[in-house]
């Protein structure tokens, strides 16, 4: 069995070896740039972890793994255009470094490259792999659309938000594991269990991000705290607070959401205090713990010995212990 770090090295080596050198350079240079600015490589590693539960040789599983990573970065590239985000992983976003037209076209080319890698799987796996990937890719787009629509709504419900993050974030983790399991010749039952493990892991991961953005240690979290509050982003915390608040607390929260001119630190402090007063932090933490517990239930049922599942258990443990 390979460790998480060993699989990360395999993925990095594969990405370093990608050939994006054909003209026109203006199409391929942004693709190299976005893939080269780092990231955890979690999704392709999950493909390899899924396969490694059943096989030692991961050569064939590297094709869909790299395809998933290219696809993931394609979605980030287009998301940054839609969000007009200036920074990605502490570097200029592609549309800032070049322009939006370049970002859109290079993103389109990345989606095609992703299909080329995924479509290079052996014939006996190809139909099942494409079925999982196509469904997952479409759901990611659905999630992004819901996320954009929520920006203009003040009546988003918790169930809607949870469904949005399931589509936008969680299904890609589940799909990655399921594709790996398919490449490892897992049973259909195990492949489905790993899919649900990944989806619940993704739900916990995203809700934890929401929580860390408000209550996290900036040095550990790796970005400035309070960005979601400043932008009035519809997160689990805000939606739950709006659902729970009444009277003066509700009026104060809504005034902070609608105010146009404000001191950023004052707004972050005030909204955070409202979240604490309404026990939103505790409610969110409990929800995260429930999703982590669910994903472990699915992992426990996967029909391989516990030692082979060690890296997946360690991954969950590492995410649980992220600093809040």
């Amino acid at each position: 069995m390979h460790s998480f770090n060993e699989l990360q090295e395999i993925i990095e080596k594969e990405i370093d070896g990608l050939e994006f050198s054909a003209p026109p350079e203006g199409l391929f240079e942004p693709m190299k740039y976005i893939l080269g600015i780092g990231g955890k490589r979690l999704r392709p590693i999950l493909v390899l972890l899924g396969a490694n539960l059943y096989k030692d040789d991961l050569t064939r599983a590297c094709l869909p793994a790299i395809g998933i990573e290219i696809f993931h970065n394609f979605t980030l590239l287009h998301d940054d255009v839609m969000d007009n985000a200036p920074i990605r992983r502490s570097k200029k976003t592609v549309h800032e470094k070049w322009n939006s037209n370049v970002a859109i076209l290079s993103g389109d080319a990345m989606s095609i490259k992703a299909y080329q890698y995924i479509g290079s799987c052996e014939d006996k796996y190809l139909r099942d792999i494409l079925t999982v990937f196509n469904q997952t890719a479409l759901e990611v787009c659905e999630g992004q659309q819901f996320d954009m629509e929520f920006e203009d709504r003040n009546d988003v419900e918790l169930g809607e938000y949870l469904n949005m993050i399931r589509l936008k974030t969680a299904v890609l983790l589940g799909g990655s594991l399921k594709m790996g399991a398919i490449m490892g010749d897992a049973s259909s039952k195990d492949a489905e269990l790993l899919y649900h493990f990944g989806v619940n892991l993704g739900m916990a991961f995203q809700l934890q991000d929401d929580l860390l953005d408000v209550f996290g240690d900036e040095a550990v979290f790796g970005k400035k705290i309070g960005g979601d509050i400043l932008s009035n982003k519809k997160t689990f915390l805000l939606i739950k607070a709006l659902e729970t608040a009444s009277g003066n607390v509700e009026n104060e929260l809504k005034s902070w959401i609608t105010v146009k001119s404000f001191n950023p630190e004052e707004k972050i402090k005030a909204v955070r205090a409202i979240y604490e007063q309404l026990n939103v932090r505790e409610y969110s933490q409990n929800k995260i713990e429930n999703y982590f517990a669910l994903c472990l239930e699915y992992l426990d049922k996967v029909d391989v010995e516990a030692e082979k599942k060690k890296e997946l258990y360690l991954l969950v443990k590492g995410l649980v212990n992220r600093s809040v």
Side-chain angles (χ1 to χ4, degrees), residues 142-156:
E142 291 170 358
Q144 176 65 15
Q145 180 63 35
F146 281 130
D147 196 18
M148 291 191 298
E149 291 176 2
F150 290 173
E151 292 176 10
D152 300 320
R153 287 178 51 194
N154 293 317
D155 61 346
V156 179

Side-chain angles (χ1 to χ4, degrees), residues 42-43 46 169-178 198-199 201-202 205:
L42 177 60
R43 292 148 193 86
L46 287 176
T169 300
V171 296
L172 190 54
L173 272 64
S176 298
L177 277 160
K178 188 172 184 178
V199 168
L201 186 69
F205 182 83

Side-chain angles (χ1 to χ4, degrees), residues 18-262:
L18 292 176
E19 291 291 337
F20 293 141
S21 56
E25 187 175 307
L27 179 66
F28 293 105
E29 191 61 32
M31 295 164 61
K32 289 193 291 185
Y33 173 78
I34 188 70
L35 284 165
I37 61 175
K40 302 179 187 69
R41 312 298 188 195
L42 177 60
R43 292 148 193 86
I45 290 172
L46 287 176
V47 176
L48 298 188
L49 281 170
N52 203 199
L53 290 172
Y54 307 94
K55 286 185 177 179
D56 293 328
D57 184 1
L58 301 177
T59 306
R60 292 168 179 168
C62 281
L63 289 168
I66 297 303
I68 282 288
E69 182 66 2
I70 294 172
F71 172 78
H72 173 59
N73 279 270
F74 142 68
T75 66
L76 298 182
L77 196 156
H78 276 195
D79 284 358
D80 288 340
V81 173
M82 287 183 272
D83 295 341
N84 198 28
I87 300 294
R88 166 70 64 184
R89 297 168 185 155
S90 302
K91 302 285 187 181
K92 282 186 177 181
T93 49
V94 168
H95 70 273
E96 283 288 326
K97 187 173 175 62
W98 284 273
N99 59 59
S100 293
N101 288 341
V102 167
I104 291 167
L105 188 59
S106 291
D108 292 343
M110 288 184 79
S111 70
I112 296 166
K113 280 287 184 182
Y115 267 103
Q116 285 180 338
Y117 275 88
I118 289 167
S120 298
C121 294
E122 287 180 81
D123 286 349
K124 72 173 185 174
Y125 303 116
L126 186 57
R127 184 182 182 88
D128 288 340
I129 290 290
L130 283 174
T131 297
V132 175
F133 179 68
N134 287 335
Q135 181 64 30
T136 301
L138 182 60
E139 288 178 333
V140 170
C141 294
E142 291 170 358
Q144 176 65 15
Q145 180 63 35
F146 281 130
D147 196 18
M148 291 191 298
E149 291 176 2
F150 290 173
E151 292 176 10
D152 300 320
R153 287 178 51 194
N154 293 317
D155 61 346
V156 179
E157 297 179 356
L158 283 177
E160 292 180 288
Y161 179 74
L162 292 172
N163 183 53
M164 183 275 288
I165 63 173
R166 180 184 67 83
L167 293 166
K168 184 176 177 179
T169 300
V171 296
L172 190 54
L173 272 64
S176 298
L177 277 160
K178 188 172 184 178
M179 289 168 66
I182 291 168
M183 296 300 295
D185 292 315
S187 68
S188 58
K189 181 181 178 181
D190 272 6
E192 199 63 23
L193 287 168
L194 286 165
Y195 175 80
H196 289 293
F197 162 77
V199 168
N200 283 283
L201 186 69
M203 296 295 289
F205 182 83
Q206 184 57 56
L207 291 176
Q208 197 177 52
D209 261 8
D210 289 357
L211 192 61
L212 287 169
D213 189 83
V214 178
F215 296 106
D217 181 335
E218 196 168 299
V220 176
F221 191 39
K223 67 178 182 180
K224 193 166 179 61
I225 298 300
D228 289 346
I229 290 175
L230 296 179
S231 64
N232 300 322
K233 186 173 177 62
K234 305 298 191 307
T235 65
F236 187 86
L237 294 162
L238 178 57
I239 296 168
K240 182 61 179 176
L242 288 169
E243 178 183 281
T244 308
S246 61
N248 292 335
V249 176
E250 181 181 12
N251 292 334
E252 183 185 359
L253 179 57
K254 287 183 175 178
S255 72
W256 278 116
I257 293 172
T258 55
V259 68
K260 299 298 181 184
S261 179
F262 55 84

